[in-house]
Amino acid sequence: MVWTGFVKIKTLKKNRGFVLLGIFIFAALSRPPDAVSQSAMAVPMYLLYEIGIIMAGLLLKEKIAAREKRKRNRLSAKPELDLSATFFGQPRGLATLS
């Protein structure tokens, strides 16, 4: 999900507490009602979550940096308006046919 840009690593890190709570709730609902079996299921799931964050940071470091660079360039670039050709007195690209 980080690779597609759907979620950011910063968001995954920020929501660790909610994820841990959700994992323990899931483990409580899906296992018998004793703390050992719940923890035996929840701890590996949380470790996989943390490993996923670490691996996403390592493997996608270049892609994330390129995405941030494009975002900075897009924000700093000013849109240029071509005033050389007009259509009904409006700049090209802004005219609409009715």
Side-chain angles (χ1 to χ4, degrees), residues 2 9 51-62 64:
V2 175
I9 294 177
I51 290 170
I53 291 174
I54 292 168
M55 294 304 291
L58 292 175
L59 298 175
L60 300 175
K61 189 179 290 187
E62 294 172 5
I64 292 169

Side-chain angles (χ1 to χ4, degrees), residues 20-98:
L20 184 61
L21 179 65
I23 287 173
F24 269 96
I25 290 172
F26 176 76
L29 295 174
S30 63
R31 292 284 137 200
D34 66 300
V36 175
S37 64
Q38 291 173 6
S39 296
M41 183 174 182
V43 170
M45 288 175 66
Y46 186 71
L47 288 175
L48 285 172
Y49 179 78
E50 288 294 329
I51 290 170
I53 291 174
I54 292 168
M55 294 304 291
L58 292 175
L59 298 175
L60 300 175
K61 189 179 290 187
E62 294 172 5
K63 184 172 183 166
I64 292 169
R67 188 180 296 150
E68 292 296 324
K69 184 178 178 182
R70 278 196 314 266
K71 184 179 176 182
R72 280 193 308 270
N73 288 342
R74 194 173 347 140
L75 293 175
S76 66
K78 295 181 182 177
E80 295 182 15
L81 204 52
D82 183 14
L83 298 175
S84 61
T86 58
F87 183 74
F88 296 116
Q90 294 179 346
R92 185 185 306 173
L94 298 178
T96 58
L97 296 175
S98 315

